[in-house]
Amino acid sequence: MRTNIVLLIAVLWLLQACDVNRSGSVAVQADGQATLAMEPPLLIAQVRAIDQNALSLTVSVDGEVIAMDRDGDTGQWTGSSTIAANSSPTILVSWSESYQGRVLRLAQASQVLTVAADASSAQAQFSNSDFNTAFDDDGDGHFNLAERNSDSDPLDASSPAEPLVTVPVTLRIDLPSYIDWTDQALLDQLHATATLNGTALTLTRNANQWTASGVATENSVSFVNVVLFSTESSNLRVATAQRNQNIGSGSEFVFDASGYQAPLDDDMDGLSNAAEVGQGSNPYDSNSPPRNPCDISDFNAGCDTDTDSDGKPDSVETATADSDNDGTPNYQESSLIDNDGDGASLELDANDNDACIPSTASSQCVALNIDTDGDGKKDVDEGDVDSDGDGLLNRQESNLEDEDGDGVNDESDSANADPCIPNDTSQPCVSSRQDSDGDGKTDIEEGTTADTDSDGIANFLDSSINDADNDGVFDELDSDNNDPCVPATNNQSCAAQQLDTDGDGKTDVQETTTADTDGDGQFDYQESSIIDSDNDGTFNELDSQNNNPCVPSTNNAACSAQTQDSDADGKTDVAETLTADTDGDGVFDYLDSAILDTDGDGTFDELDSDNTDPCIPSTSNAACSAQTQDSDADGKTDVAETLTADTDGDGVFDYL
């Protein structure tokens, strides 16, 4: 039977000098049709003498040739075929050239592929060393591909003219790793064959290794094929290996335990020929040893494989039954599981992931149409995603609403009530941070209407850290920010508010602490507006020289008095001051002459505490002496009688 198996044939040409690969593949579709695509191997493509358009590719599966077509633009070959399940087809790939009207063979590789009954894919892969290039149409010992590469004639035995040089080739074959028989008798019956470029070699066995020798053309790419048979008389192959390599001036082919192709299984029972020989079963009988019916097919009677674990074996559900016609057979769809929660099991649900199929009346289908956040996207479509990571799922947050007005919808905003997240340049964010009165509390925190001190200024404009009138009460709590006596008078600023330093009836605050109306260096609050110190008719506050009556004007009595000399002693009354009394006689200096000596005692009046007593302040002077003289000895001093009195008019003074 033909089955839906993917067959991959990969032809990997490894150019040893450049380490470059070429490949091709076959993929089988659902209808069993296989598509093959290949390019010419580099080993051939790089031979300049070969016309790429003259190349021909043949691919066959068990002798059935796949028709191959070449794309002239890409150089790629394509074709198609089918493959049978539970078979061991031989895959053969051949490259040839149309040369002088003949088909010139260049390279060929083959491989036996094991395809199990339940296989979904199979692969045949060829490396460069798998290809046999030992084709010699003119029998001159030089292979066709080598002659095309050296521009000699592969159809002329005399070309090339140089004599053929052969070199020795040795062969060493180890027992493959997958033959692990414990029966030495079976090992002793093994028979090995080998060919070098199609010529059989004589093998010598030593324990589990065979050796042989032969000759090949010097520097040729030679090909060795090895087959191990179960016995010398049997045609049952238990292992195969093949490889080409450049001989050079002599070479050894070594096939170690890992150098063999995949184990052969002629009866396709899952046991290799080697394994069946080892255990004594018949390698040509798929029922030897007796097989579990499931080994042949999960749909065989008696096979209890239950692919969908619904309690009904695949053999009962059959390979083709499809109750819901969804393209997936019943044996792969459980009759117990309901993926979409719509009440219909997978086996009866044409769409296992749509709760509205087969019925829109299911509660799950109704739930699918719910849009919790009203943003036009269904909850089921938004799922359990939380785009902004705020703990609210997208289906709970609208992508149409912007609660904090920061320009980012709630679904993408990790803080729906904070306009500064994620956009700290948004107008709402800027507004939320505004502090109009600079007191560290935002306008929003203080509110737009709160007015704690009822002064008509809202708190957000009334600072809670500034005290405009320095009365100890912050503006936010002060009903009159400019009056330190409100709301209380018991503070320094209020006391200062009522202070009148110059006693002129105007407080210092009213006069300010910096005003100096007359520019004399004394502030107005220190100069009275009702006192005139120099009596010049101008109050001190307006008089730039409070002690000079001639400033700011000379037109006043005080200024005139400034030049008066009452005692005619050459010093003005002002110079002597109006209050000075040097001799303490009760007569001010400006009335007590500094040049007259009324009592003739030698001391000027200004310095004489008794201007009429020559014995004051001193008795040591003529005037004092005269003060005590009694010329007529009548007991009365001459002074007492005066020096001019003549009481009786007789012409003689009384003192005489």
Side-chain angles (χ1 to χ4, degrees), residues 436-502:
S436 297
D437 56 11
D439 62 358
K441 297 185 291 184
T442 66
D443 294 356
I444 289 178
E445 287 178 298
E446 297 193 272
T448 58
T449 58
D451 180 9
T452 304
D453 55 12
S454 302
D455 61 355
I457 302 174
N459 288 356
F460 78 93
L461 297 174
D462 224 6
S463 175
S464 62
I465 59 175
N466 290 338
D467 180 7
D469 53 15
N470 294 309
D471 61 358
V473 180
F474 297 127
D475 295 349
E476 190 176 278
L477 303 175
D478 194 336
S479 59
D480 191 334
N481 298 337
N482 298 311
D483 188 343
C485 297
V486 176
T489 58
N490 57 340
N491 63 80
Q492 188 174 354
S493 294
C494 181
Q497 181 86 357
Q498 298 172 338
L499 182 64
D500 181 8
T501 299
D502 57 9

Side-chain angles (χ1 to χ4, degrees), residues 52 62 66 87 95 161 256 265 295 313 414 422 432 479 486 491 497 524 527 586 604 631 644:
Q52 299 298 307
D62 268 349
I66 299 174
S87 64
W95 287 93
D256 60 21
D265 181 11
D295 290 341
S414 59
S432 73
S479 59
V486 176
N491 63 80
Q497 181 86 357
D524 290 355
E527 287 192 299
F604 298 126
S631 297
T644 58

Side-chain angles (χ1 to χ4, degrees), residues 218-470:
E218 184 181 33
N219 293 322
S220 67
V221 177
S222 294
F223 186 79
V224 170
N225 185 63
V226 175
V227 180
L228 296 183
F229 295 93
S230 60
T231 66
E232 184 175 1
S233 60
S234 170
N235 61 357
L236 178 67
R237 298 174 301 169
V238 294
T240 60
Q242 58 187 18
R243 187 173 72 253
N244 71 48
Q245 68 186 49
N246 195 309
I247 297 302
S249 59
S251 183
E252 180 182 34
F253 281 81
V254 177
F255 291 90
D256 60 21
S258 61
Y260 289 80
Q261 293 182 335
L264 300 168
D265 181 11
D266 282 5
D267 59 6
M268 298 302 297
D269 62 357
L271 292 174
S272 68
N273 293 350
E276 294 213 53
V277 170
Q279 69 181 16
S281 58
N282 187 348
Y284 295 114
D285 184 354
S286 62
N287 289 314
S288 175
R291 300 178 64 187
N292 185 311
C294 295
D295 290 341
I296 301 173
S297 172
D298 289 339
F299 304 104
N300 273 1
C303 176
D304 57 3
T305 298
D306 184 3
T307 300
D308 57 12
S309 302
D310 64 354
K312 296 184 291 184
D314 296 356
S315 57
V316 173
E317 294 194 277
T318 76
T320 58
D322 181 9
S323 299
D324 54 13
N325 296 312
D326 62 354
T328 303
N330 290 352
Y331 78 90
Q332 294 179 336
E333 290 192 297
S334 173
S335 61
L336 304 177
I337 297 174
D338 177 11
N339 269 357
D340 51 20
D342 59 1
S345 69
L346 301 181
E347 189 177 280
L348 301 176
D349 195 335
N351 190 324
D352 300 333
N353 297 309
D354 189 340
C356 296
I357 296 176
S359 172
T360 58
S362 70
S363 59
Q364 187 66 16
C365 179
V366 173
L368 289 177
N369 292 307
I370 294 176
D371 178 11
T372 300
D373 57 11
D375 61 359
K377 296 186 293 183
K378 298 176 182 178
D379 290 1
V380 68
D381 293 330
E382 297 195 87
D384 293 331
V385 177
D386 179 8
S387 298
D388 54 16
D390 63 355
L392 293 174
L393 302 178
N394 287 0
R395 54 187 163 86
Q396 297 173 305
E397 288 191 297
S398 173
N399 70 343
L400 302 177
E401 296 178 2
D402 179 9
E403 180 182 338
D404 51 18
D406 59 1
V408 180
N409 65 64
D410 294 348
E411 187 175 283
S412 303
D413 193 336
S414 59
N416 298 339
D418 188 340
C420 297
I421 297 175
N423 182 11
D424 63 2
T425 61
S426 69
Q427 186 55 49
C429 178
V430 173
S431 297
S432 73
R433 291 177 173 176
Q434 186 169 341
D435 180 8
S436 297
D437 56 11
D439 62 358
K441 297 185 291 184
T442 66
D443 294 356
I444 289 178
E445 287 178 298
E446 297 193 272
T448 58
T449 58
D451 180 9
T452 304
D453 55 12
S454 302
D455 61 355
I457 302 174
N459 288 356
F460 78 93
L461 297 174
D462 224 6
S463 175
S464 62
I465 59 175
N466 290 338
D467 180 7
D469 53 15
N470 294 309

Side-chain angles (χ1 to χ4, degrees), residues 531-571:
I531 294 175
D532 180 8
S533 296
D534 54 11
N535 295 307
D536 60 1
T538 302
F539 297 123
N540 292 353
E541 189 177 277
L542 303 175
D543 193 339
S544 60
Q545 293 188 27
N546 297 337
N547 297 312
N548 188 345
C550 296
V551 177
S553 173
T554 60
N555 187 24
N556 61 80
C559 181
S560 298
Q562 184 85 2
T563 58
Q564 185 174 340
D565 183 5
S566 297
D567 57 6
D569 61 359
K571 296 187 289 181

